[in-house]
């Protein structure tokens, strides 16, 4: 995500980090490069000007120029200013307690992904202990209701639907239905249009007046750049938007919408959609996204993804097996499958400190992991349990069965042996574990504010 911006800003960061002293000329050159990167990322011009002025003013202060490590101090200033553009701190969805009823209205143009967002948000709220109800309020788009029903069944959340075309009435009756059924959070999926029109706005205004939502959330396509911000401004003027969810964030190579949104609309970004799966839905943390843009990874989000995918018992079981040198190819296969559940391999690599900078916009070879899975699945149970029995004839059979080459099988076994050895060392070395955690958590520049 935000590949072009990350590449440009990371290049400036690497240059400035290597300098023992920084002159005003250094600062001006670096800021000019970042300015061009922001404009190419389709960031609002006024936002770019404010960012540049604030950065130059902070960077030219005597405390920075005379610092022990001015290069790192400059990086910290860039980090802080990007975080400021995003809104400084994470903003939560404001809902009432579970003993009463909360209502969320989702707004947006057709194609922004409201229906998909509705089910992802419902799944997250359900995991948080709430009892959501999805309301099929899009009676304009063909098959929108059926899509929501299918998605609701997938996550075990009920869907309120009617054949009536009066969406305001549908919303009102859904509120009463939820009260009878003891459902505490309504998520209303509303109809969108290819462009904003008076009829759509009037309908949404009437709905808001009748159901009095706690949150009025705009769902916008991050890839539309500044257009997403303009759309948000129009919706906000008519309805009082409380926040936004940016979809297709994983496909947005520029980042204009995310970087402009808060500064222009004064509304927070609440969540980002990072893929098509239900779990590809993240709370928006300004500091974490800023860290990714600087090419420094996001280990906190990576750990959280892992915690949602791998149970504590499974992690402890694997650690004990590694310590006893009992890690097998079956365990390696299970790790591959767990990684796939966590999201795209590209996005996971971007979260890893160090790897994020090394990628520099290059795609991760996802096919390689698929090939490795196929090789392991072509082995017998005995071979997976004891890789030492896999001699030349077995390797040839495995290669034929997996549609790969003997060289591919050899590479996998060699990689497995290295992984097994590394896991054994880490599992037995508490000091190394602590050192790794400190390295991941600390980053490469001071994070305190």
């Amino acid at each position: 995500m935000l590949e072009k911006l990350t590449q440009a800003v990371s290049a400036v960061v690497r240059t400035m980090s290597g300098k023992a002293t920084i002159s005003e000329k250094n600062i001006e050159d670096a800021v000019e490069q970042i300015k061009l990167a922001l404009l190419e990322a389709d960031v609002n011009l006024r936002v770019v000007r404010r960012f540049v002025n604030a950065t130059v003013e902070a960077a030219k202060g005597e405390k920075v120029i005379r610092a022990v490590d001015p290069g790192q101090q400059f990086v910290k200033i860039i980090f802080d200013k990007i975080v400021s553009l995003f809104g400084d701190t994470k903003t939560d969805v404001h809902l009432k307690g579970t003993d009463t009823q909360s209502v969320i209205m989702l707004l947006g143009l057709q194609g922004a992904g409201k229906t998909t967002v509705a089910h992802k948000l419902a799944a997250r709220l359900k995991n948080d202990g709430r009892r959501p109800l999805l309301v099929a309020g899009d009676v304009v788009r063909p098959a929108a209701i059926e899509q929501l029903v299918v998605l609701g069944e997938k996550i075990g959340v009920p869907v309120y639907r009617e054949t009536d075309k009066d969406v305001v009435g549908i919303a009102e009756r859904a509120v009463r239905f939820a009260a009878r059924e003891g459902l505490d959070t309504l998520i209303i999926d509303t109809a969108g249009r290819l462009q904003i029109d008076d009829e759509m706005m009037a309908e949404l205004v009437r709905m808001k007046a009748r159901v009095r939502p706690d949150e009025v959330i705009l769902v916008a396509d991050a890839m539309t750049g500044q257009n997403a911000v303009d759309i948000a401004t129009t919706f906000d003027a008519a309805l009082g938007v409380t926040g936004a969810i940016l979809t297709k964030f994983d496909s947005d190579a520029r980042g204009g919408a995310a970087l402009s949104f808060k500064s222009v609309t004064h509304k927070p970004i609440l969540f980002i959609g990072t893929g098509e799966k239900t779990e590809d839905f993240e709370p928006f943390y300004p500091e974490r996204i800023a860290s990714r843009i600087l090419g420094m990874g996001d280990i906190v989000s990576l750990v959280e993804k892992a915690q949602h995918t791998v149970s504590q018992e499974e992690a402890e079981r694997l650690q004990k097996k590694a310590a006893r040198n009992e890690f097998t190819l079956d365990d390696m296969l299970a790790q591959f499958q767990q990684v796939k559940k966590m999201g795209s391999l590209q996005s996971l690599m971007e979260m890893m400190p160090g790897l994020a900078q090394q990628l520099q916009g290059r795609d991760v070879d996802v096919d390689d992991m698929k090939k490795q899975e196929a090789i392991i699945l072509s082995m017998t149970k005995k071979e997976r349990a004891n890789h030492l029995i896999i001699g030349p004839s077995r390797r040839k059979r495995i290669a034929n069965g997996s549609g790969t080459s003997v060289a591919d099988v050899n590479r996998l076994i060699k990689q497995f042996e290295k992984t097994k050895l590394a896991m054994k060392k880490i599992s037995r070395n508490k000091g190394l574990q602590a050192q790794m955690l400190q390295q991941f958590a600390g980053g490469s520049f001071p994070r305190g504010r």
Side-chain angles (χ1 to χ4, degrees), residues 314 316-335 381-388 416-417 419-425 427-428:
E314 174 63 18
E316 290 176 355
R317 184 192 70 81
L318 194 60
Q319 184 180 14
K320 290 176 181 177
K321 289 195 71 174
R324 295 194 300 263
N325 201 29
E326 295 175 357
F327 184 74
T328 68
L329 282 159
D330 265 327
D331 296 319
M332 191 176 190
L333 177 63
Q335 284 191 326
K381 289 184 178 181
K382 287 184 178 180
E383 288 167 344
R384 291 186 215 171
N386 181 13
H387 73 287
L388 296 176
F416 167 74
E417 289 174 338
T419 301
K420 183 175 182 178
L421 181 61
M423 290 186 68
K424 181 180 178 182
K425 287 181 178 179
S427 66
R428 292 183 175 181

Side-chain angles (χ1 to χ4, degrees), residues 5-22:
L5 182 60
T6 298
Q7 288 177 53
V9 175
S10 295
V12 176
V13 166
R14 286 194 298 273
T15 300
M16 298 299 285
S17 295
K19 294 185 180 298
T21 59
I22 298 180

Side-chain angles (χ1 to χ4, degrees), residues 199-228:
E199 180 187 354
M200 175 179 68
M201 280 299 186
E203 186 176 81
L204 293 173
V205 168
R206 290 198 305 274
M207 183 184 294
K208 182 184 177 184
R210 298 281 186 86
V211 301
R212 291 178 291 181
D214 300 89
E215 290 276 9
V216 180
I217 300 175
L218 176 77
V219 179
D221 183 341
M223 295 179 67
T224 59
Q226 288 192 57
N227 285 341

